Amino acid sequence: MITVKKARLCYVLLGILLGCSCSDVSRDEAAEMDRFVTELMGKMTLHEKLGQLNLPSGGDMVTGTVMNGELSDMIRKQEIGGFFNVKGVRRINALQRLAVEESRLKIPLLVGADVIHGYETIFPIPLALSCSWDTLAIERMARISAIEASADGINWTFSPMVDICRDARWGRIAEGSGEDPYLGSLMARAYVRGYQGNSLQGNDEILACVKHFALYGASESGRDYNTVDMSRLRMYNEYLAPYKAAVDAGVGSVMSSFNIIDGIPATANKWLLTDLLRDEWSFGGLLVTDYNSIAEMASHGIAPLKEASVRALKAGTDMDMVSCGFLNTLEESLKEGKIMEDQINTACRRVLEAKYKLGLFSNPYKYGDTLRVKEQLYTAEHRSAARAIASETFVLLKNENHLLPLGLKGKIALVGPMADARNNMCGMWSMACTASRHGTLLEGIRSAAGDKAEILYAKGSNVYEDAEMEKAAAGIRPLEHEDNRKLLDEALRVASRADVIVAALGECAEMSGESASRTNLEIPDAQQNLLKALLKTGKPVVLLLFTGRPLVLNWEDANVHSILNVWFGGSETGDAVADVLFGKVTPSGKLTTTFPRSVGQLPLFYNHLNTGRPDPDNRVFNRYASNYLDESNEPLYPFGFGLSYTDFVYGDLQISSETLPKNGELTASVTVTNKGNYDGYETVQLYLRDIYAEVARPVKELKGFERIFLKSGESCDVKFVITEDDLKFYNSELHYIYEPGEFEIMIGTNSRDVKTKCFIAK
Ligand code: BGC
């Protein structure tokens, strides 16, 4: 086995990861890594170097259409640099053993996986997590995910996904942190810190991979894998910040995206992968493609595999996920003079450096630990964190006459296809978990009710009326499709005995996530029929909404008494929902994605530019103003929106001065009082608007927030300090500057309901 000086390695990584290039120690250690990798590469054949660039899928969890050949053979021949999609410490260690005991140079393997919102303990989907606005909670969830995944042998997670998305048709909106670049950047940093820890040296600190670089969330028409065409100005001001934040936080790897940018797939886009990522942002880590995307360049109309591989390598790609183009074609392309050996060497060096940074050369089995698997997976501590975090992510969208929280008394009917669907609680990226160990919503609610309230249950409906439609929507997590009429009759019988009805409806887990775009964003037909029938009983109805994306809920908002959006809350959904439903926890989630009134409004987002003809009244139709004949411009629920059981009252907005002096600061503050009957968290939001600038600026942009806890009756002054940095944007020459002039400052409980003042920046 190849050895390195372990003690000094810590410094290397600290230096590299924390960007302390000025320190002599880190420079020494970087030199040590360099020396080690150079020596190793000196022993490698060209074929072995190409092997390092090859990342096949192990095939347990298939996320695309391609399967690779026999892993063991490839490992022995050193034809792979790592693999992903294999679960289980014994299997992973056995594969690692082949690499370090049976291959010529004994180079350990990267072991990747999509550990996106948990491993065995599953947390809410990322979109939900972002609605907590709690970066520490996100860091904690990433830390726990890394602890669990690393015990099982995984050393590399394909997370965080930071694609800004403004179009709810795109199913992958579920995987990111919503529509805002400022919030998205904070979340990106929190994920990276959580996964990678301080130094990557701990046996539970794993390599993070920010994805999908770049702009994948802007796929045309919300259709997955679709084209993106965007001005540089928009990219820099509205989409790139979260990727950059992850890079600045020291993320060890980046995954390029499936989409085309400026006519060239991201996978082979030199401007993106080299000029921007490497040169402008100084990213020195590993760059991997997305699943089979080199081969997919043929369908893009760019080139067949061999030439596509050349283009991807030359653009700056290091590792080829699944397509095997690097392994099988680059040797010949080198002979033909289409690439240079240096280009292969650079990519190979980056793969080896990633392994070195992880400490795999010192101990290839650092990450797989059968004892840790027994002790550290799905522990009581992890589950309790997941439960607490899940309850922070739920968003109360409506609560007429304070119907919620429910009292623990009488008869409560829990109805709906999501009420007892164990395999659908977790959301899309939870293939690795053991769903049979998780409770259902029904179990969580029954256990909270104990003998104080009687919980009646009926499934009530299928997901869709049509069995084929439901089969497609449910994907790998099928639900039993039963007779719609019988289900409804039974639900109505159950409801007739109840004092209050809780309807657990919405999307099933696989209706969002990859390859789950929708053109109709309503609750599926069978469930809508059920909801309407339940409301006809005249009893109070709570809609517990399961969804991975914003839905169109106009009818529900007008007719249902209370709506609690619980997204997909992870393995502890049942208990977490019960905590909020019965008032043990006051809901505090705030939307990080706008809920539209109609699919026709999409893309819809709060931080838009104004037209020359804005519609001041936001009416339905106002001729010659920028609006629609048949719908207002307003969302149903705006960005930042979320109610509480308690009542937060905002005092007047105060600013320390009407001028922000050059190099100075200005303080904006507001007093928030909890005038309701419950203790709870409130997220106070700060927005700014640059009234006139060289390039048009958004009507408002989030620039800060504070998540405060107030007991009933308590008040708190919330202060935000504003400096020039908060006013900066990219101008038409892509210089990051601020322009002196007039600004609006807005503070409020969501992006719509704000108090406003103006100031002049000098
Ligand atoms: C997805 C990535 C994922 C990869 C590996 C792809 O289809 O786009 O997000 O990391 O598969 O599973």
Side-chain angles (χ1 to χ4, degrees):
M1 191 194 308
I2 298 145
T3 56
V4 284
K5 293 169 199 152
K6 277 193 219 163
R8 298 180 72 200
L9 189 58
C10 299
Y11 290 103
V12 177
L13 291 159
L14 271 176
I16 293 164
L17 291 174
L18 304 177
C20 317
S21 52
C22 50
S23 129
D24 285 343
V25 175
S26 66
R27 227 180 282 135
D28 276 3
E29 298 303 331
E32 177 64 27
M33 175 169 74
D34 207 49
R35 188 204 55 72
F36 174 82
V37 171
T38 306
E39 191 184 314
L40 175 57
M41 283 179 59
K43 298 178 194 150
M44 293 171 80
T45 64
L46 180 65
H47 194 67
E48 283 165 345
K49 286 179 188 167
L50 291 173
Q52 289 302 306
L53 316 191
N54 190 28
L55 180 71
S57 164
D60 277 4
M61 298 164 272
V62 181
T63 47
T65 48
V66 180
M67 300 283 278
N68 293 113
E70 180 47 50
L71 269 190
S72 323
D73 283 351
M74 296 176 93
I75 294 173
R76 282 196 192 89
K77 289 195 252 160
Q78 256 176 226
E79 287 184 336
I80 71 174
F83 59 85
F84 67 106
N85 274 354
V86 174
K87 171 121 202 274
V89 63
R90 289 209 164 73
R91 294 175 65 203
I92 290 175
N93 278 351
L95 293 169
Q96 193 66 279
R97 197 165 302 118
L98 290 180
V100 291
E101 289 176 21
E102 296 188 28
S103 75
R104 192 176 78 86
L105 288 171
K106 310 186 181 351
I107 301 175
L109 297 165
L110 290 173
V111 182
D114 289 283
V115 183
I116 309 283
H117 52 111
Y119 190 66
E120 279 288 355
T121 306
I122 301 291
F123 293 81
I125 56 169
L127 182 60
L129 286 170
S130 69
C131 292
S132 70
W133 297 54
D134 184 350
T135 49
L136 290 179
I138 275 113
E139 188 173 336
R140 174 127 177 80
M141 111 69 216
R143 189 83 293 279
I144 290 174
S145 306
I147 291 170
E148 294 196 354
S150 61
D152 224 12
I154 286 155
N155 51 41
W156 185 19
T157 175
F158 303 141
S159 173
M161 189 280 215
V162 303
D163 305 322
I164 295 291
C165 179
R166 300 158 158 189
D167 192 331
R169 290 173 294 183
W170 195 51
R172 303 199 79 169
I173 193 171
E175 298 177 46
S177 295
E179 70 194 35
D180 186 72
Y182 172 82
L183 186 72
S185 300
L186 295 182
M187 297 298 170
R189 249 175 255 151
Y191 277 101
V192 172
R193 277 200 297 261
Y195 292 130
Q196 296 195 163
N198 292 324
S199 61
L200 276 187
Q201 289 307 283
N203 66 358
D204 58 10
E205 294 172 343
I206 63 177
L207 201 68
C209 181
V210 65
K211 68 186 188 186
H212 306 82
F213 193 63
L215 318 178
Y216 184 30
S219 303
E220 276 174 8
S221 343
R223 180 154 56 78
D224 209 359
Y225 317 121
N226 208 0
T227 303
V228 174
D229 196 359
M230 189 186 286
S231 71
R232 291 279 150 92
L233 190 72
R234 176 166 263 189
M235 287 183 203
Y236 274 80
N237 277 319
E238 303 170 34
Y239 279 82
L240 293 177
Y243 307 104
K244 175 147 193 312
V247 168
D248 291 344
V251 75
S253 66
V254 173
M255 185 188 293
S256 51
S257 54
F258 285 127
N259 53 284
I260 278 178
I261 296 172
D262 292 339
I264 301 174
T267 317
N269 195 310
K270 180 179 165 293
W271 170 77
L272 185 75
L273 304 184
T274 298
D275 302 355
L276 180 65
L277 182 66
R278 301 276 186 205
D279 298 345
E280 203 172 311
W281 294 359
S282 307
F283 174 67
L286 172 65
L287 180 57
V288 64
T289 71
D290 203 347
Y291 200 103
N292 202 35
S293 64
I294 296 184
E296 287 177 9
M297 275 199 267
S299 305
H300 276 300
I302 297 295
L305 187 63
K306 187 173 161 200
E307 194 189 326
S309 303
V310 166
R311 289 198 49 179
L313 182 79
K314 281 178 152 177
T317 302
D318 301 318
M319 224 176 180
D320 163 7
M321 186 191 284
V322 171
S323 84
C324 284
F326 278 7
L327 179 73
N328 295 332
T329 69
L330 285 185
E331 207 160 336
E332 205 176 308
S333 296
L334 180 66
K335 278 191 203 129
E336 290 164 0
K338 303 226 167 84
I339 49 169
M340 291 180 305
E341 192 157 0
D342 268 2
Q343 288 162 326
I344 296 173
N345 285 341
T346 303
C348 177
R349 176 173 291 278
R350 292 202 189 109
V351 177
L352 295 173
E353 282 179 357
K355 296 178 179 185
Y356 186 96
K357 291 173 194 171
L358 282 165
L360 289 176
F361 288 109
S362 312
N363 178 9
Y365 305 110
K366 174 182 157 194
Y367 289 100
D369 184 336
T370 43
L371 201 68
R372 282 221 291 130
V373 168
K374 281 202 197 100
E375 289 171 357
Q376 296 186 351
L377 265 58
Y378 203 52
T379 61
E381 188 196 335
H382 294 177
R383 292 181 59 191
S384 115
R387 176 176 178 169
I389 292 173
S391 68
E392 282 185 28
T393 67
F394 303 157
V395 186
L396 184 63
L397 298 173
K398 182 179 179 193
N399 198 19
E400 201 172 282
N401 299 328
H402 295 278
L403 173 58
L404 289 177
L406 298 180
L408 274 171
K409 59 176 196 255
K411 290 191 171 68
I412 301 168
L414 179 63
V415 181
M418 290 303 123
D420 199 21
R422 201 181 306 277
N423 60 350
N424 266 272
M425 293 294 92
C426 283
M428 70 277 147
W429 278 119
S430 53
M431 287 94 110
C433 75
T434 316
S436 57
R437 294 163 87 186
H438 310 160
T440 64
L441 179 63
L442 178 60
E443 285 164 0
I445 289 181
R446 283 220 163 115
S447 130
D451 54 11
K452 296 199 184 111
E454 191 183 343
I455 308 297
L456 314 170
Y457 163 74
K459 177 172 170 184
S461 81
N462 294 300
V463 174
Y464 281 98
E465 296 276 349
D466 179 61
E468 284 307 307
M469 183 68 205
E470 173 158 334
K471 201 168 152 208
I476 55 168
R477 302 168 211 269
L479 294 138
E480 195 184 345
H481 196 88
E482 299 167 63
D483 184 289
N484 277 309
R485 189 68 244 171
K486 272 200 198 140
L487 289 173
L488 184 60
D489 289 347
E490 189 205 351
L492 291 176
R493 266 197 306 279
V494 165
S496 71
R497 295 173 48 215
D499 305 311
V500 56
I501 301 164
V502 176
L505 313 176
E507 295 192 319
C508 48
E510 296 289 321
M511 282 173 72
S512 55
E514 186 170 349
S515 190
S517 297
R518 293 180 67 194
T519 60
N520 175 344
L521 294 182
E522 292 181 353
I523 291 177
D525 52 8
Q527 301 179 74
Q528 271 193 41
N529 296 341
L530 168 66
L531 187 60
K532 286 180 180 155
L534 292 173
L535 277 158
K536 277 203 187 125
T537 63
K539 305 201 176 191
V541 176
V542 176
L543 169 58
L544 274 187
L545 184 68
F546 286 79
T547 182
R549 52 151 64 82
L551 294 181
V552 172
L553 299 170
N554 301 355
W555 188 88
E556 291 77 2
D557 183 68
N559 293 284
V560 182
H561 308 102
S562 291
I563 307 177
L564 181 67
N565 183 7
V566 298
W567 308 105
F568 290 99
S571 52
E572 313 312 306
T573 296
D575 291 331
V577 170
D579 288 344
V580 173
L581 206 58
F582 296 118
K584 202 164 147 188
V585 174
T586 303
S588 60
K590 302 265 193 178
L591 297 177
T592 57
T593 175
T594 302
F595 272 49
R597 287 178 178 277
S598 148
V599 170
Q601 293 177 311
L602 297 174
L604 187 68
F605 47 100
Y606 84 96
N607 46 354
H608 59 86
L609 305 181
N610 241 348
T611 64
R613 296 184 177 193
D615 181 7
D617 313 321
N618 270 317
R619 290 185 310 200
V620 176
F621 196 46
N622 185 358
R623 198 173 285 280
Y624 303 122
S626 172
N627 60 5
Y628 299 100
L629 193 60
D630 53 1
E631 185 53 88
S632 86
N633 293 340
E634 287 288 282
L636 181 62
Y637 307 120
F639 176 85
F641 178 82
L643 303 170
S644 171
Y645 293 158
T646 199
D647 196 9
F648 294 106
V649 178
Y650 282 61
D652 288 340
L653 166 59
Q654 316 274 359
I655 51 176
S656 57
S657 158
E658 281 173 6
T659 351
L660 171 62
K662 194 153 179 50
N663 299 320
E665 53 182 55
L666 181 155
T667 306
S669 57
V670 72
T671 305
V672 183
T673 308
N674 179 352
K675 291 212 170 150
N677 297 326
Y678 298 84
D679 304 342
Y681 283 94
E682 165 70 345
T683 300
V684 182
Q685 300 159 36
L686 166 81
Y687 298 88
L688 291 180
R689 177 178 184 183
D690 190 346
I691 312 265
Y692 299 113
E694 185 235 351
V695 293
R697 304 289 299 124
V699 295
K700 58 183 68 143
E701 288 177 295
L702 184 72
K703 290 290 174 179
F705 60 89
E706 267 310 315
R707 193 167 175 270
I708 54 169
F709 181 78
L710 288 180
K711 287 189 179 277
S712 167
E714 268 182 4
S715 291
C716 160
D717 291 338
V718 180
K719 285 195 172 58
F720 296 98
V721 176
I722 294 153
T723 68
E724 280 163 24
D725 280 347
D726 301 308
L727 316 181
K728 287 185 176 161
F729 61 96
Y730 290 93
N731 69 7
S732 61
E733 285 170 12
L734 299 183
H735 294 145
Y736 193 57
I737 49 122
Y738 86 97
E739 288 181 5
E742 200 182 344
F743 287 78
E744 258 173 25
I745 183 161
M746 292 157 268
I747 296 188
T749 182
N750 62 57
S751 64
R752 181 189 58 202
D753 303 315
V754 290
K755 309 221 167 183
T756 307
K757 287 227 158 137
C758 290
F759 69 89
I760 307 281
K762 292 288 181 188

